[in-house]
C-alpha cells in the first residue's frame, strides 16, 4: 500500500509550510497584549473572486442564501489592454468605534474587551434594523426567517480554540488572514494607509481595523454594478408612523396656541374636546404602526433601553410620553379642567413632542446614508406639522363657524409656506450637486432615483404640496372672509386630504431614494436594505 499523500494532504501541507492560514484548521498568532485586538487582513492581489469565502461562511452559520455575513465586491479599471479587475472580500471590520453598537436601542451589540470582536446578541435583538442604516459598510443584515439582524463574529468560538474562521479556511488563494493589531498605533500610523480600499467609506466614521494589501499603481476603479440602481426598501410602516406623529405634533401646537391666546384674553374661540382628541389620534395610530417594522414586535418596549446613546430609544420614550400626555390633555378637556394646570400639562406635552420629533429626525442623520444626513431632514420632519394646523382649522370651522378661523388659517398658511421652502431647497440641492464632493456618487444616484425611477411621485408630491399648503388655505381665507362657510369647509377638507397625501408621498421618496455608502460592486448582497 502506497504511503504517498493524497492531493488534499499535499494541499494542506503546502499551505502550512508556506505560512498561509488557508487550508489550515489551526492558527498560530501571538497572544493578545493590552491595547491589541484581532482583525482581518485581506490581500486583494491574491483574491480571484471565487466567492468561496461567502459560501463557507453561510454553510457554517446555516444562513439562508439571501443573508451574507461576508460579501465580495467587484470593481474594474484601466483601458484595454491594460485593465484590472479588483475584488474586495469584506465581512465585519470589527471597528474601534462601531456605529452599530452606539446606535442599537436594545444594546444588542458588544465589543469584547479581550479580543476586540464586535458581537451581536441575537436573543435581545428586536429586528429594528437601525444598525443596518448606521453601519457604513452594510455589514449587519436582516434575517427575515428569524426576525432579527445578524452579522459576522469572526468565528470567535473557533478563535477561542486556535482555529481559523470559515472564510479563512475556505479561501483557495490565501487572501484572508487573521492578525493582531495594536489599536492606538493603527489609528496613528496604519489606518489611513492600509485601512482603505477603492470606494470604501471614510475610515473616520467607525475606525475599521481590516488591513488591505492592494495592487501597485492601481488605475481609477469603478464599481462593477455602477449601472445597476435598485431603490431602497419602502419602509411603509415608518412612512405612516413618522408622518402621523409629526401631524399630531402640529395639531397639538395649534391646540396649545389657541388655548394660550384664549387664556390671555384674546377674542378667539376656546379649543374644544374634539380638537384635543384629533390632535391625539394621529400619534396614537402612528406609534403602534412602527411595531410592524420590527422583526420581533413583541419585544418593542425594549427599544427604550439604550436612551443614553440611541436616538431611536430617545424617540420611543419621548413620543410614547407625548402620546400618553396628549390623551391626558384630552381627558382634561372632557372633565373641563382648565386654567393654569391645563396650560402647564399642555406645555410639558408639547416639549416632549418637539424633542420626540427631533430625536426621530436624528435617527436618520447618519453618515452611512448621505441623502438622509442633512439638516433638511430635521426641517422637513418638523415642517410636516403644517398638516396638523389645517386639521385644527377645519375642526374650528366645524365647531365655531367663521369665528376665529381666519387667524388660524393665516398661521396654517405660514406653516405650509415654510414646508414648501424646505422642499424647494431640497430639490435645488440635488439639481446642483458638486462633482468634486466625496459623496457625489451616492447623492447623484439618489438624484437619478428621484428624477427617473420616481419622477411621477416626485411631481405629485410637489404639486399637491403647493396646492394644499398654499393655494387652498389662501382660498379658504377668502371664503371665510366672505362668510361662505360651506365653501371654506370643503376647501379645507380637500387641503387636509391633499397635504396628508403629499407628506406621505414625500416620506415614501425619502426612504426609497436613499443610497447608502456600503461595499462597492456588491450586487450579490442579498436582502441588504
Amino acid at each position: 500500500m502506497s504511503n504517498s499523500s493524497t492531493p488534499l494532504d499535499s494541499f494542506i501541507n503546502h499551505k502550512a509550510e508556506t505560512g498561509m492560514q488557508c487550508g489550515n484548521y489551526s492558527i498560530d498568532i501571538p497572544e493578545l497584549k493590552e491595547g491589541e485586538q484581532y482583525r482581518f487582513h485581506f490581500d486583494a492581489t491574491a483574491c480571484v473572486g471565487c466567492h468561496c469565502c461567502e459560501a463557507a461562511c453561510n454553510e457554517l452559520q446555516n444562513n439562508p442564501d439571501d443573508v451574507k455575513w461576508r460579501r465580495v465586491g467587484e470593481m474594474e479599471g484601466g483601458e484595454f489592454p491594460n485593465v484590472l479587475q479588483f475584488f474586495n472580500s469584506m465581512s465585519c471590520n470589527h471597528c474601534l468605534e462601531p456605529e452599530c453598537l452606539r446606535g442599537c436601542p436594545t444594546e444588542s451589540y458588544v465589543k469584547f474587551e479581550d479580543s476586540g470582536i464586535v458581537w451581536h446578541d441575537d436573543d435581545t435583538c428586536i429586528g429594528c434594523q437601525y444598525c443596518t442604516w448606521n453601519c457604513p459598510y452594510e455589514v449587519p443584515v436582516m434575517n427575515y426567517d428569524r426576525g432579527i439582524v445578524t452579522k459576522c463574529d469572526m468565528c470567535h468560538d473557533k478563535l477561542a480554540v486556535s482555529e481559523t474562521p470559515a472564510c479563512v479556511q475556505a479561501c483557495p488563494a490565501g487572501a484572508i488572514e487573521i492578525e493582531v493589531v495594536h489599536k492606538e498605533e493603527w489609528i496613528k500610523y496604519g489606518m489611513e494607509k492600509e485601512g482603505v480600499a477603492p470606494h470604501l467609506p471614510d475610515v473616520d466614521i467607525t475606525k475599521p481595523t481590516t488591513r488591505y494589501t492592494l495592487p501597485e499603481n492601481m488605475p481609477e476603479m469603478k464599481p462593477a454594478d455602477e449601472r445597476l440602481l435598485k431603490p431602497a426598501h419602502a419602509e411603509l410602516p415608518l412612512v405612516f408612523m413618522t408622518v402621523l406623529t409629526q401631524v399630531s405634533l402640529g395639531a397639538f401646537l395649534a391646540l396649545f396656541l389657541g388655548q394660550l391666546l384664549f387664556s390671555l384674553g384674546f377674542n378667539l374661540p376656546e379649543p374644544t374636546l374634539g380638537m384635543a382628541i384629533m390632535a391625539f389620534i394621529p400619534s396614537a395610530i402612528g406609534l403602534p404602526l412602527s411595531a410592524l417594522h420590527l422583526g420581533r414586535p413583541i419585544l418593542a418596549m425594549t427599544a427604550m433601553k439604550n436612551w443614553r446613546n440611541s436616538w431611536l430609544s430617545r424617540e420611543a420614550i419621548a413620543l410614547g410620553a407625548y402620546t400618553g400626555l396628549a390623551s391626558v390633555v384630552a381627558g382634561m378637556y372632557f372633565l373641563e379642567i382648565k386654567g393654569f394646570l391645563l396650560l402647564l400639562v399642555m406645555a410639558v406635552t408639547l416639549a416632549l413632542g418637539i424633542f420626540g420629533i427631533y430625536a426621530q429626525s436624528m435617527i436618520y442623520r447618519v453618515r452611512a446614508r448621505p441623502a438622509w444626513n442633512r439638516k433638511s431632514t430635521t426641517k422637513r420632519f418638523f415642517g410636516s406639522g403644517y398638516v396638523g394646523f389645517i386639521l385644527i382649522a377645519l375642526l374650528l370651522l366645524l365647531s365655531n363657524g367663521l369665528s376665529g378661523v381666519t387667524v388660524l388659517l393665516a398661521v396654517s398658511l405660514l406653516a405650509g409656506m415654510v414646508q414648501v421652502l424646505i422642499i424647494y431647497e431640497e430639490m435645488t440641492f440635488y439639481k446642483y450637486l458638486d462633482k468634486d464632493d466625496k459623496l457625489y456618487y451616492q447623492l447623484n444616484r439618489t438624484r437619478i432615483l428621484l428624477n427617473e425611477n420616481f419622477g411621477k411621485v416626485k411631481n405629485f408630491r410637489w404639486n399637491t404640496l403647493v396646492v394644499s399648503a398654499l393655494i387652498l388655505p389662501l382660498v379658504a381665507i377668502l371664503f371665510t372672509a366672505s362668510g361662505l362657510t360651506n365653501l371654506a369647509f370643503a376647501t379645507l377638507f380637500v387641503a387636509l386630504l391633499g397635504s396628508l397625501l403629499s407628506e406621505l408621498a414625500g416620506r415614501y421618496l425619502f426612504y426609497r431614494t436613499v443610497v447608502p455608502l456600503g461595499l462597492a460592486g456588491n450586487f450579490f448582497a442579498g436582502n441588504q436594505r
Side-chain angles (χ1 to χ4, degrees):
M1 184 173 180
S2 173
N3 292 324
S4 62
S5 63
T6 65
L8 179 59
D9 291 332
S10 176
F11 174 77
I12 292 177
N13 290 334
H14 169 72
K15 292 299 181 181
E17 291 169 1
T18 56
M20 288 186 176
Q21 296 173 26
C22 167
N24 298 330
Y25 286 82
S26 64
I27 184 172
D28 183 18
I29 57 176
E31 185 177 344
L32 289 174
K33 300 176 183 177
E34 186 177 353
E36 294 181 338
Q37 75 163 67
Y38 291 126
R39 72 169 173 201
F40 284 111
H41 167 227
F42 175 68
D43 186 353
T45 65
C47 180
V48 296
C50 66
H51 295 258
C52 284
C53 51
E54 289 184 357
C57 178
N58 268 29
E59 183 177 352
L60 178 69
Q61 302 297 339
N62 197 29
N63 285 331
D65 58 3
D66 64 341
V67 175
K68 289 182 171 62
W69 290 7
R70 178 169 284 276
R71 300 150 293 139
V72 177
E74 301 184 17
M75 282 157 275
E76 51 196 19
E79 296 182 2
F80 182 82
N82 299 313
V83 295
L84 175 67
Q85 189 173 25
F86 176 86
F87 299 100
N88 184 2
S89 176
M90 177 185 288
S91 61
C92 180
N93 292 294
H94 301 282
C95 305
L96 301 180
E97 298 178 2
E99 285 290 300
C100 57
L101 184 152
R102 187 178 66 85
C104 179
T106 56
E107 297 182 333
S108 296
Y109 285 91
V110 178
K111 186 170 177 65
F112 292 149
E113 292 184 6
D114 58 342
S115 64
I117 292 172
V118 178
W119 179 75
H120 181 262
D121 181 10
D122 294 355
D123 292 338
T124 60
C125 179
I126 61 175
C128 70
Q129 301 157 69
Y130 186 29
C131 56
T132 68
W133 297 345
N134 267 13
C135 176
Y137 304 97
E138 294 189 290
V139 165
V141 58
M142 183 68 178
N143 187 323
Y144 291 101
D145 293 341
R146 301 175 60 190
I148 61 172
V149 170
T150 60
K151 66 172 285 293
C152 158
D153 58 9
M154 202 183 273
C155 292
H156 72 282
D157 51 342
K158 285 179 169 291
L159 287 178
V161 293
S162 298
E163 291 186 8
T164 52
C167 56
V168 175
Q169 293 177 6
C171 179
I176 310 171
E177 295 179 314
I178 297 294
E179 296 180 340
V180 169
V181 58
H182 190 279
K183 291 178 279 190
E184 290 187 4
E185 291 181 0
W186 175 246
I187 293 175
K188 290 180 180 179
Y189 308 114
M191 189 173 65
E192 295 286 351
K193 297 178 181 178
E194 297 182 284
V196 296
H199 294 282
L200 282 188
D202 188 342
V203 292
D204 285 330
I205 299 177
T206 62
K207 295 181 172 53
T209 61
T210 301
R211 182 172 74 90
Y212 288 93
T213 297
L214 304 177
E216 295 182 359
N217 302 318
M218 288 182 63
E220 181 181 353
M221 306 302 296
K222 294 184 178 180
D225 61 351
E226 186 178 34
R227 293 176 178 81
L228 301 177
L229 184 55
K230 186 176 78 170
H233 197 277
E235 312 291 4
L236 290 179
L238 297 182
V239 168
F240 283 92
M241 186 277 281
T242 54
V243 170
L244 288 176
T245 51
Q246 292 154 21
V247 169
S248 175
L249 179 63
F252 196 89
L253 176 58
L255 183 77
F256 174 74
L257 291 176
Q259 186 64 47
L260 179 63
L261 293 176
F262 176 81
S263 301
L264 292 175
F266 282 78
N267 187 25
L268 294 171
E270 184 177 16
T272 64
L273 171 63
M275 296 177 192
I277 292 175
M278 290 307 297
F280 155 75
I281 284 179
S283 186
I285 295 174
L287 274 185
L289 285 177
S290 63
L292 299 178
H293 167 74
L294 304 178
R296 301 168 72 185
I298 194 171
L299 298 178
M301 295 299 291
T302 62
M304 302 180 185
K305 185 178 180 180
N306 191 17
W307 58 271
R308 293 180 181 85
N309 300 303
S310 175
W311 283 109
L312 198 154
S313 292
R314 295 165 185 165
E315 178 216 30
I317 293 171
L319 289 184
Y322 161 78
T323 304
L325 281 178
S327 68
V328 171
V329 170
M332 294 178 74
Y333 272 95
F334 177 75
L335 298 173
E336 297 185 353
I337 301 174
K338 304 293 177 65
F340 176 76
L341 180 60
L342 175 62
L343 284 173
L344 177 62
V345 175
M346 292 181 77
V348 173
T349 305
L350 184 63
L352 284 169
I354 291 173
F355 179 76
I357 298 303
Y358 176 75
Q360 189 178 82
S361 73
M362 293 303 292
I363 291 173
Y364 302 96
R365 293 188 49 187
V366 292
R367 295 175 68 183
R369 302 205 164 203
W372 289 353
N373 190 30
R374 305 184 65 242
K375 291 181 180 179
S376 61
T377 295
T378 301
K379 292 178 182 178
R380 71 171 110 168
F381 273 34
F382 279 108
S384 296
Y386 80 92
V387 183
F389 276 88
I390 295 176
L391 172 62
I392 298 302
L394 183 66
L395 294 173
L396 183 62
L397 186 64
L398 185 64
S399 60
N400 292 287
L402 300 175
S403 177
V405 174
T406 304
V407 175
L408 188 53
L409 280 176
V411 178
S412 300
L413 182 62
L414 180 62
M417 187 179 301
V418 170
Q419 182 71 331
V420 168
L421 292 175
I422 291 170
I423 301 306
Y424 178 77
E425 176 191 16
E426 186 76 4
M427 294 168 61
T428 304
F429 170 78
Y430 285 106
K431 187 178 292 186
Y432 301 105
L433 289 176
D434 182 2
K435 291 186 177 181
D436 294 327
D437 191 326
K438 62 181 180 180
L439 299 174
Y440 175 78
Y441 180 81
Q442 286 78 23
L443 293 173
N444 184 55
R445 288 167 78 82
T446 292
R447 180 190 64 79
I448 293 171
L449 286 171
L450 279 169
N451 294 332
E452 298 181 11
N453 297 60
F454 298 101
K456 291 182 179 179
V457 179
K458 176 188 171 185
N459 291 335
F460 172 82
R461 193 280 193 269
W462 174 250
N463 293 334
T464 52
L465 176 64
V466 172
V467 171
S468 302
L470 298 183
I471 298 176
L472 291 181
L474 182 59
V475 172
I477 290 175
L478 296 177
F479 284 145
T480 302
S482 302
L484 302 173
T485 306
N486 291 337
L487 286 176
F489 181 84
T491 302
L492 272 184
F493 181 80
V494 175
L496 176 64
L497 181 61
S499 61
L500 184 59
L501 290 175
S502 177
E503 293 307 309
L504 290 172
R507 198 57 43 80
Y508 175 79
L509 291 173
F510 177 80
Y511 287 108
R512 297 234 68 185
T513 61
V514 66
V515 177
L517 298 179
L519 173 64
N522 185 24
F523 46 85
F524 293 117
N527 69 25
Q528 253 132 330
R529 305 159 79 86

